[in-house]
Amino acid sequence: MTADATDIVALTRALVDIDSTTGREGAAARWLADYLRAHGWPVLEQRVDATRFNVIAAPPAGRAGGVTFSTHIDCVPPFFPSRLDGDRLYGRGACDAKGILAAQVAAADRLRRSGETRVGLVFVVGEERGSDGARIANEAATDNPSRFLIDGEPTDNRLGLATRGILRLKLRATGRAAHSSFPELGESAIDKLIDALVQLRSIALPEDAVLGRTHYTIGLMTGGVAPNVVSPSAEAEVMFRTVSDASDVRRAVAPLERRVAIEHVLDVPTVRLTTVPGFDAAVFPYTTDIPFLPRWGAPLLFGPGSIHLAHTADEYVSVAELHQAADHYVTLARALLG
Ligand SMILES: [Zn+2]
């Protein structure tokens, strides 16, 4: 472990102790922008809405071919403050993603002190709900040609090989209401929807050699108007964790359209990631801000902490892992810049 000018634990705790639940990132972003300025970084505060902004510390213009570290400032609710217990640093965002952010600042600082000027930082708001910060941060890359983007999410200090995408579809069944004592006079939308969902179970969905099979969850279902009325309408929302283009799933589920209308709600693409030899690598089933930051360079995914601890009621990260992450970030950046 190399001694850092950045106190990673203190920086993580300072950030964790400011509530930055998605939508309320203003105070944490303000603190972070001031911190980075005080440590010699030129900081751009990029407005996202009236109270929220991204914090971007890019190298001077003309330093082409650089590496940009990125992660998010926001957290899921509920907020709880930091607490250190042995090697464990507890608190909302300790793992996802304020410890990561602190390790990235430490790494960037170490690189800069060694004379490397082609390193930048992009810290965005809104990752946990729709990535509004990342979509806007993408625009800030125009004058700053960065060749690689090292995005931080909890990967247990392994490089990501690929991440799954998302496809959300709404299945909408339409029927005809009738008194339930004369069901033959009506047409049950709920029955049609159930038939479609049962049929979905037997449909072969796309598979990929690296990412595996497509998974899906029927997360929402509504329908009907009363116990004694044949249901005139019913709908279900299905979320697919995709392994290839969303259109592959759309084609596979097209036969359901004999029973239900299919409405496209949202999709996020799968991502193939850049890797560097000498690091453990794995596939990750979750989505990140990476699809929204294409202008910041070829993406890598790497971060300390476990995704199984992120978003939990006793979220924590290992202090040793945070320090190792800073070392790994330096090694990765040097490999990519070399
Ligand atoms: Zn995260």
Side-chain angles (χ1 to χ4, degrees):
M1 193 173 92
T2 313
D4 273 307
T6 308
D7 183 335
I8 297 177
V9 171
L11 178 53
T12 304
R13 292 193 70 172
L15 286 166
V16 167
D17 289 338
I18 305 170
D19 180 1
S20 63
T21 306
T22 313
R24 295 204 296 273
E25 300 98 327
R30 159 69 34 234
W31 189 93
L32 179 60
D34 291 347
Y35 173 93
L36 291 174
R37 266 194 206 100
H39 289 78
W41 290 94
V43 176
L44 168 70
E45 296 175 13
Q46 187 191 33
R47 189 62 50 199
V48 173
D49 63 25
T51 59
R52 304 157 65 236
F53 57 92
N54 294 325
V55 176
I56 298 177
R63 304 283 186 182
V67 167
T68 302
F69 293 104
S70 68
T71 191
H72 56 96
I73 300 167
D74 63 314
C75 299
V76 296
F79 165 77
F80 62 100
S82 71
R83 173 168 63 86
L84 194 58
D85 184 358
D87 177 58
R88 291 184 176 185
L89 175 51
Y90 289 86
R92 174 61 72 220
C95 170
D96 185 15
K98 289 171 171 173
I100 293 171
L101 193 158
Q104 291 185 336
V105 169
D109 208 45
R110 208 189 297 168
L111 287 159
R112 203 179 45 156
R113 281 164 196 275
S114 73
E116 180 53 73
T117 56
R118 297 168 293 169
V119 175
L121 300 165
V122 172
F123 299 131
V124 302
V125 298
E127 192 273 342
E128 301 286 6
R129 281 185 85 171
S131 294
D132 60 348
R135 289 168 208 264
I136 289 172
N138 194 45
E139 294 160 18
T142 314
D143 303 322
N144 179 62
S146 164
R147 261 201 309 153
F148 297 98
L149 175 78
I150 304 178
D151 190 56
E153 290 290 345
T155 67
D156 301 292
N157 280 344
R158 291 172 294 171
L159 273 176
L161 292 168
T163 57
R164 283 173 179 258
I166 282 175
L167 173 64
R168 278 169 56 191
L169 297 178
K170 196 171 272 185
L171 310 189
R172 207 188 291 277
T174 308
R176 191 170 61 250
H179 196 286
S180 61
S181 60
F182 294 95
E184 67 278 10
L185 299 180
E187 200 184 328
S188 167
I190 288 179
D191 285 357
K192 286 188 199 174
L193 180 62
I194 289 171
D195 288 346
L197 294 173
V198 170
Q199 187 184 352
L200 175 58
R201 287 183 179 165
S202 61
I203 286 177
L205 295 170
E207 295 185 25
D208 176 83
V210 173
L211 284 166
R213 296 161 182 268
T214 303
H215 306 147
Y216 71 87
T217 301
I218 304 163
L220 292 167
M221 253 180 109
T222 55
V225 291
N228 58 352
V229 177
V230 175
S231 57
S233 62
E235 60 182 53
E237 198 167 314
V238 187
M239 181 153 171
F240 297 89
R241 296 282 175 170
T242 58
V243 300
S244 61
D245 198 84
S247 64
D248 298 340
V249 174
R250 282 305 301 259
R251 261 193 303 282
V253 303
L256 302 182
E257 281 171 321
R258 278 182 286 129
R259 306 180 196 274
V260 294
I262 300 181
E263 183 188 315
H264 182 104
V265 180
L266 166 82
D267 75 279
V268 177
T270 55
V271 175
R272 309 284 156 175
L273 296 154
T274 300
T275 56
V276 169
F279 282 86
D280 291 339
V283 159
F284 293 92
Y286 51 80
T287 58
T288 70
D289 270 338
I290 287 173
F292 308 107
L293 295 167
R295 291 192 195 165
W296 286 98
L300 294 85
L301 179 66
F302 188 94
S306 165
I307 195 65
H308 300 301
L309 294 169
H311 301 198
T312 64
D314 64 344
E315 177 173 349
Y316 71 85
V317 69
S318 150
V319 171
E321 216 176 308
L322 286 183
H323 287 289
Q324 287 155 13
D327 293 346
H328 289 315
Y329 280 132
V330 170
T331 307
L332 277 175
R334 290 220 167 100
L336 295 167
L337 289 164

